[in-house]
Amino acid sequence: MRTLVIGDHIVKSFGEGDEKRNVLNGVSVEINEGEFVAVMGPSGSGKSTLMFALSGTDGVNDGKIVVDGRDLSEMGENELSDLRRTTMGFVFQQPTMLKNLNVLDNIILPAMRDNRKNVATITKKARALMQRVGIAELEKRDITQVSGGQLQRAGICRALMNNPSIIFGDEPTGALNTTSAQEMMDLFSEINSEGTAIMLVTHDAKVAARTERIMFMRDGTIVSDLRLPKFNGTNMEDRVEKVTVKMRELGI
Ligand code: ADP
Ligand code: MG
Protein backbone atom coordinates (compact mmCIF):
# COMPACT_ATOMS: atom_id res chain seq x y z
CA MET A 1 0.00 0.00 0.00
CA ARG A 2 1.40 3.38 -1.00
CA THR A 3 1.83 6.03 1.69
CA LEU A 4 -0.23 9.11 0.85
CA VAL A 5 0.60 11.46 3.70
CA ILE A 6 3.81 11.49 5.73
CA GLY A 7 4.35 13.73 8.72
CA ASP A 8 7.88 13.39 10.06
CA HIS A 9 8.59 14.93 13.47
CA ILE A 10 6.31 17.91 12.94
CA VAL A 11 6.75 20.76 15.37
CA LYS A 12 4.28 23.62 15.42
CA SER A 13 4.35 26.41 17.94
CA PHE A 14 2.28 29.48 18.57
CA GLY A 15 3.36 32.69 20.29
CA GLU A 16 6.74 34.37 20.63
CA GLY A 17 9.47 34.49 23.29
CA ASP A 18 8.27 33.48 26.76
CA GLU A 19 4.79 32.92 25.38
CA LYS A 20 6.02 30.42 22.80
CA ARG A 21 4.36 27.06 23.15
CA ASN A 22 4.61 23.87 21.12
CA VAL A 23 1.21 22.70 20.01
CA LEU A 24 2.66 19.85 17.96
CA ASN A 25 5.63 18.28 19.70
CA GLY A 26 7.39 16.27 17.02
CA VAL A 27 4.43 14.32 15.68
CA SER A 28 5.17 11.56 13.19
CA VAL A 29 2.36 9.96 11.27
CA GLU A 30 1.78 8.08 8.04
CA ILE A 31 -1.51 7.66 6.25
CA ASN A 32 -1.81 5.16 3.43
CA GLU A 33 -3.79 5.54 0.27
CA GLY A 34 -7.39 4.57 0.95
CA GLU A 35 -6.98 4.45 4.73
CA PHE A 36 -9.85 5.46 7.05
CA VAL A 37 -8.45 7.12 10.15
CA ALA A 38 -9.90 8.94 13.15
CA VAL A 39 -8.10 11.34 15.45
CA MET A 40 -9.29 11.65 19.03
CA GLY A 41 -8.00 13.52 22.05
CA PRO A 42 -8.91 16.19 24.59
CA SER A 43 -9.84 19.65 23.43
CA GLY A 44 -6.65 21.62 22.78
CA SER A 45 -4.46 18.53 22.25
CA GLY A 46 -3.56 19.64 18.72
CA LYS A 47 -5.95 17.64 16.52
CA SER A 48 -7.02 20.52 14.29
CA THR A 49 -3.48 21.88 14.18
CA LEU A 50 -2.23 18.47 12.99
CA MET A 51 -4.85 18.39 10.26
CA PHE A 52 -3.98 21.91 9.12
CA ALA A 53 -0.28 20.97 9.10
CA LEU A 54 -0.70 17.72 7.14
CA SER A 55 -2.92 19.43 4.59
CA GLY A 56 -0.51 22.32 4.10
CA THR A 57 -3.21 24.75 5.19
CA ASP A 58 -0.90 26.12 7.84
CA GLY A 59 2.92 26.09 7.91
CA VAL A 60 4.99 24.29 10.55
CA ASN A 61 8.13 25.25 12.51
CA ASP A 62 10.02 22.02 12.03
CA GLY A 63 9.73 18.55 10.54
CA LYS A 64 8.74 17.36 7.14
CA ILE A 65 5.39 16.79 5.46
CA VAL A 66 5.06 14.85 2.22
CA VAL A 67 1.72 14.50 0.46
CA ASP A 68 1.34 12.38 -2.66
CA GLY A 69 5.12 12.28 -2.99
CA ARG A 70 5.58 16.03 -2.71
CA ASP A 71 7.47 17.77 0.09
CA LEU A 72 5.25 20.67 1.16
CA SER A 73 8.19 22.77 2.33
CA GLU A 74 9.52 22.87 -1.21
CA MET A 75 6.29 24.16 -2.68
CA GLY A 76 5.22 27.75 -3.29
CA GLU A 77 1.84 29.12 -2.16
CA ASN A 78 0.23 28.61 -5.59
CA GLU A 79 1.53 25.07 -5.98
CA LEU A 80 0.34 24.29 -2.48
CA SER A 81 -3.13 25.58 -3.11
CA ASP A 82 -3.25 23.59 -6.38
CA LEU A 83 -2.23 20.45 -4.49
CA ARG A 84 -4.88 21.08 -1.85
CA ARG A 85 -7.55 21.69 -4.46
CA THR A 86 -6.74 18.63 -6.58
CA THR A 87 -5.71 16.09 -3.93
CA MET A 88 -7.64 17.00 -0.79
CA GLY A 89 -11.21 17.62 0.25
CA PHE A 90 -12.21 19.36 3.48
CA VAL A 91 -15.29 19.01 5.64
CA PHE A 92 -15.75 21.02 8.81
CA GLN A 93 -18.18 21.05 11.72
CA GLN A 94 -19.92 24.08 10.26
CA PRO A 95 -19.68 24.08 6.48
CA THR A 96 -18.16 27.29 5.21
CA MET A 97 -20.67 28.09 2.49
CA LEU A 98 -21.31 31.44 0.86
CA LYS A 99 -24.67 32.87 1.85
CA ASN A 100 -25.30 34.68 -1.44
CA LEU A 101 -25.00 31.48 -3.49
CA ASN A 102 -27.47 28.59 -3.66
CA VAL A 103 -26.54 25.01 -2.70
CA LEU A 104 -25.47 23.96 -6.20
CA ASP A 105 -23.31 27.04 -6.78
CA ASN A 106 -21.59 26.52 -3.43
CA ILE A 107 -20.81 22.92 -4.37
CA ILE A 108 -19.32 23.74 -7.76
CA LEU A 109 -17.28 26.70 -6.49
CA PRO A 110 -13.94 24.91 -5.88
CA ALA A 111 -14.14 23.07 -9.20
CA MET A 112 -14.81 26.33 -11.06
CA ARG A 113 -11.30 27.47 -10.17
CA ASP A 114 -9.96 24.81 -12.52
CA ASN A 115 -10.20 26.43 -15.95
CA ARG A 116 -9.51 23.17 -17.74
CA LYS A 117 -13.02 22.02 -16.91
CA ASN A 118 -16.18 23.52 -18.33
CA VAL A 119 -19.25 24.57 -16.40
CA ALA A 120 -21.52 21.94 -17.96
CA THR A 121 -19.21 19.08 -16.93
CA ILE A 122 -18.80 20.51 -13.45
CA THR A 123 -22.53 20.99 -12.98
CA LYS A 124 -23.25 17.46 -14.18
CA LYS A 125 -20.79 16.06 -11.69
CA ALA A 126 -22.26 18.17 -8.86
CA ARG A 127 -25.78 16.97 -9.69
CA ALA A 128 -24.63 13.34 -9.67
CA LEU A 129 -23.03 13.84 -6.24
CA MET A 130 -26.13 15.59 -4.87
CA GLN A 131 -28.26 12.75 -6.16
CA ARG A 132 -25.99 10.28 -4.46
CA VAL A 133 -26.11 11.95 -1.03
CA GLY A 134 -29.87 12.57 -1.27
CA ILE A 135 -30.02 16.35 -1.70
CA ALA A 136 -30.73 16.54 -5.46
CA GLU A 137 -33.96 18.48 -4.95
CA LEU A 138 -32.20 21.21 -2.96
CA GLU A 139 -29.90 22.59 -5.63
CA LYS A 140 -31.70 25.93 -6.03
CA ARG A 141 -32.24 26.43 -2.31
CA ASP A 142 -30.56 29.16 -0.41
CA ILE A 143 -28.13 27.62 2.06
CA THR A 144 -30.11 29.13 4.95
CA GLN A 145 -33.12 27.04 3.86
CA VAL A 146 -31.63 23.58 4.42
CA SER A 147 -31.05 21.55 7.59
CA GLY A 148 -27.66 21.07 9.26
CA GLY A 149 -27.47 17.47 8.02
CA GLN A 150 -28.32 18.54 4.47
CA LEU A 151 -25.73 21.28 4.58
CA GLN A 152 -23.09 18.76 5.71
CA ARG A 153 -24.06 16.57 2.75
CA ALA A 154 -23.60 19.55 0.47
CA GLY A 155 -20.18 20.05 2.10
CA ILE A 156 -19.26 16.46 1.27
CA CYS A 157 -20.34 16.98 -2.35
CA ARG A 158 -18.14 20.05 -2.51
CA ALA A 159 -15.22 18.12 -0.99
CA LEU A 160 -15.64 15.37 -3.59
CA MET A 161 -15.88 17.63 -6.65
CA ASN A 162 -12.24 17.25 -7.62
CA ASN A 163 -11.95 13.51 -6.81
CA PRO A 164 -9.57 13.98 -3.87
CA SER A 165 -7.18 11.26 -2.70
CA ILE A 166 -7.95 12.22 0.89
CA ILE A 167 -10.73 13.96 2.79
CA PHE A 168 -9.85 15.79 5.98
CA GLY A 169 -12.85 16.15 8.30
CA ASP A 170 -12.55 18.28 11.42
CA GLU A 171 -15.43 17.15 13.66
CA PRO A 172 -17.78 16.89 10.66
CA THR A 173 -20.47 15.18 12.74
CA GLY A 174 -19.95 17.42 15.79
CA ALA A 175 -23.07 19.52 15.23
CA LEU A 176 -25.35 16.66 14.14
CA ASN A 177 -27.72 14.44 16.11
CA THR A 178 -26.89 10.74 16.46
CA THR A 179 -28.95 9.62 13.48
CA SER A 180 -27.57 12.27 11.11
CA ALA A 181 -24.06 11.55 12.38
CA GLN A 182 -24.42 7.84 11.64
CA GLU A 183 -25.90 8.62 8.20
CA MET A 184 -22.93 10.82 7.50
CA MET A 185 -20.61 7.99 8.59
CA ASP A 186 -22.45 5.64 6.19
CA LEU A 187 -21.59 8.11 3.47
CA PHE A 188 -17.95 8.41 4.53
CA SER A 189 -17.65 4.59 4.67
CA GLU A 190 -19.03 4.35 1.16
CA ILE A 191 -16.64 7.02 -0.13
CA ASN A 192 -13.76 5.27 1.62
CA SER A 193 -14.69 1.88 0.16
CA GLU A 194 -14.22 3.45 -3.27
CA GLY A 195 -10.60 4.23 -2.40
CA THR A 196 -10.58 7.74 -0.93
CA ALA A 197 -8.52 8.05 2.26
CA ILE A 198 -10.33 9.84 5.09
CA MET A 199 -8.96 11.45 8.25
CA LEU A 200 -11.63 12.49 10.74
CA VAL A 201 -11.29 14.34 14.01
CA THR A 202 -14.04 13.29 16.39
CA HIS A 203 -14.96 13.15 20.08
CA ASP A 204 -17.55 10.46 19.47
CA ALA A 205 -16.54 6.82 20.10
CA LYS A 206 -19.36 5.65 17.83
CA VAL A 207 -18.03 7.79 14.98
CA ALA A 208 -14.42 6.73 15.54
CA ALA A 209 -15.48 3.07 15.69
CA ARG A 210 -16.59 3.29 12.06
CA THR A 211 -13.00 3.87 10.92
CA GLU A 212 -10.17 1.32 10.80
CA ARG A 213 -7.55 3.14 12.82
CA ILE A 214 -7.64 5.70 15.61
CA MET A 215 -4.81 8.00 16.60
CA PHE A 216 -5.13 9.40 20.10
CA MET A 217 -3.49 12.74 20.80
CA ARG A 218 -2.48 14.40 24.01
CA ASP A 219 -0.39 17.56 24.48
CA GLY A 220 0.71 17.68 20.87
CA THR A 221 1.81 14.09 20.46
CA ILE A 222 0.20 10.87 19.34
CA VAL A 223 0.04 8.70 22.44
CA SER A 224 -1.67 5.69 20.94
CA ASP A 225 -2.41 4.28 17.51
CA LEU A 226 -5.25 1.77 17.69
CA ARG A 227 -6.14 -0.48 14.78
CA LEU A 228 -9.61 -1.93 14.58
CA PRO A 229 -10.58 -5.12 12.77
CA LYS A 230 -12.39 -4.60 9.46
CA PHE A 231 -16.03 -3.65 9.86
CA ASN A 232 -18.10 -6.72 8.93
CA GLY A 233 -21.58 -5.39 9.60
CA THR A 234 -21.97 -7.16 12.96
CA ASN A 235 -18.91 -6.17 15.00
CA MET A 236 -19.91 -2.55 15.69
CA GLU A 237 -20.56 -2.96 19.42
CA ASP A 238 -17.25 -4.69 19.82
CA ARG A 239 -15.48 -1.84 18.02
CA VAL A 240 -17.18 0.87 20.08
CA GLU A 241 -16.16 -1.07 23.20
CA LYS A 242 -12.51 -1.19 22.06
CA VAL A 243 -12.50 2.57 21.45
CA THR A 244 -14.22 3.33 24.75
CA VAL A 245 -11.81 1.16 26.71
CA LYS A 246 -8.84 2.90 25.09
CA MET A 247 -10.31 6.34 25.77
CA ARG A 248 -10.83 5.43 29.42
CA GLU A 249 -7.29 4.03 29.66
CA LEU A 250 -5.89 7.29 28.26
CA GLY A 251 -8.23 9.47 30.30
CA ILE A 252 -9.84 11.07 27.26
P1 ADP B 1 -7.87 20.56 19.20
O1 ADP B 1 -8.30 20.59 17.77
O2 ADP B 1 -7.27 19.25 19.61
O3 ADP B 1 -8.96 20.96 20.13
P2 ADP B 1 -6.13 22.71 18.38
O4 ADP B 1 -5.23 22.06 17.42
O5 ADP B 1 -7.22 23.56 17.83
O6 ADP B 1 -6.71 21.63 19.39
O7 ADP B 1 -5.30 23.64 19.35
C1 ADP B 1 -4.22 23.15 20.11
C2 ADP B 1 -3.67 24.28 20.94
O8 ADP B 1 -3.12 25.27 20.10
C3 ADP B 1 -4.71 24.98 21.80
O9 ADP B 1 -4.15 25.24 23.06
C4 ADP B 1 -4.99 26.24 21.05
O10 ADP B 1 -5.34 27.28 21.93
C5 ADP B 1 -3.66 26.52 20.37
N1 ADP B 1 -3.84 27.24 19.10
C6 ADP B 1 -4.44 26.74 18.01
N2 ADP B 1 -4.42 27.63 17.00
C7 ADP B 1 -3.80 28.73 17.47
C8 ADP B 1 -3.45 30.00 16.92
N3 ADP B 1 -3.76 30.32 15.67
N4 ADP B 1 -2.79 30.87 17.73
C9 ADP B 1 -2.45 30.55 18.99
N5 ADP B 1 -2.74 29.37 19.57
C10 ADP B 1 -3.41 28.47 18.84
MG1 MG C 1 -10.11 21.14 16.91
Side-chain angles (χ1 to χ4, degrees):
M1 185 68 78
R2 205 170 76 95
T3 310
L4 181 63
V5 178
I6 302 170
D8 188 11
H9 293 91
I10 309 167
V11 176
K12 171 76 179 175
S13 51
F14 288 111
E16 298 288 330
D18 290 350
E19 302 279 286
K20 192 168 165 177
R21 208 165 57 83
N22 281 356
V23 169
L24 297 178
N25 259 314
V27 175
S28 293
V29 54
E30 290 195 357
I31 299 169
N32 284 335
E33 258 177 358
E35 205 168 20
F36 196 3
V37 186
V39 183
M40 301 189 88
S43 187
S45 56
K47 305 181 297 295
S48 297
T49 307
L50 176 63
M51 215 171 246
F52 287 137
L54 294 177
S55 57
T57 308
D58 211 355
V60 297
N61 300 76
D62 201 3
K64 184 166 155 166
I65 298 156
V66 180
V67 177
D68 207 14
R70 306 188 60 187
D71 185 336
L72 301 194
S73 68
E74 290 170 2
M75 298 172 74
E77 229 2 272
N78 288 344
E79 276 182 302
L80 252 181
S81 79
D82 278 351
L83 181 74
R84 271 201 301 274
R85 194 166 42 74
T86 55
T87 310
M88 311 173 195
F90 297 89
V91 185
F92 300 100
Q93 183 167 352
Q94 306 289 350
T96 45
M97 300 265 178
L98 297 179
K99 291 214 167 55
N100 53 340
L101 296 181
N102 66 28
V103 172
L104 175 66
D105 289 340
N106 265 290
I107 291 172
I108 65 176
L109 199 60
M112 294 293 279
R113 299 214 181 96
D114 192 340
N115 19 9
R116 284 165 305 181
K117 294 182 186 150
N118 69 49
V119 182
T121 314
I122 290 171
T123 306
K124 194 169 162 213
K125 164 119 194 181
R127 289 200 167 117
L129 287 168
M130 293 174 81
Q131 182 80 42
R132 176 175 174 188
V133 307
I135 58 166
E137 73 285 7
L138 303 178
E139 69 167 70
K140 294 261 166 23
R141 289 265 190 102
D142 194 277
I143 59 148
T144 54
Q145 297 171 322
V146 301
S147 73
Q150 289 167 334
L151 206 55
Q152 280 304 56
R153 284 166 186 274
I156 292 186
C157 292
R158 190 180 52 182
L160 287 172
M161 277 304 289
N162 292 332
N163 300 320
S165 308
I166 183 163
I167 292 182
F168 290 102
D170 197 349
E171 306 194 36
T173 62
L176 302 178
N177 63 37
T178 311
T179 310
S180 303
Q182 284 301 327
E183 281 169 11
M184 176 156 270
M185 289 312 289
D186 290 341
L187 198 52
F188 277 128
S189 298
E190 209 180 291
I191 292 163
N192 173 253
S193 69
E194 290 158 12
T196 310
I198 302 177
M199 182 180 190
L200 290 185
V201 172
T202 183
H203 289 286
D204 186 341
K206 286 205 179 75
V207 166
R210 299 285 299 265
T211 71
E212 58 187 332
R213 174 184 172 199
I214 304 158
M215 294 184 281
F216 293 89
M217 288 192 76
R218 174 181 289 290
D219 300 331
T221 55
I222 292 171
V223 290
S224 183
D225 193 341
L226 177 73
R227 285 176 200 264
L228 295 174
K230 271 269 172 223
F231 179 50
N232 66 13
T234 60
N235 58 351
M236 228 16 239
E237 272 182 39
D238 186 35
R239 300 159 71 86
V240 175
E241 175 68 10
K242 280 198 167 67
V243 178
T244 315
V245 166
K246 187 52 110 178
M247 287 170 77
R248 213 177 295 134
E249 187 187 309
L250 296 169
I252 287 167

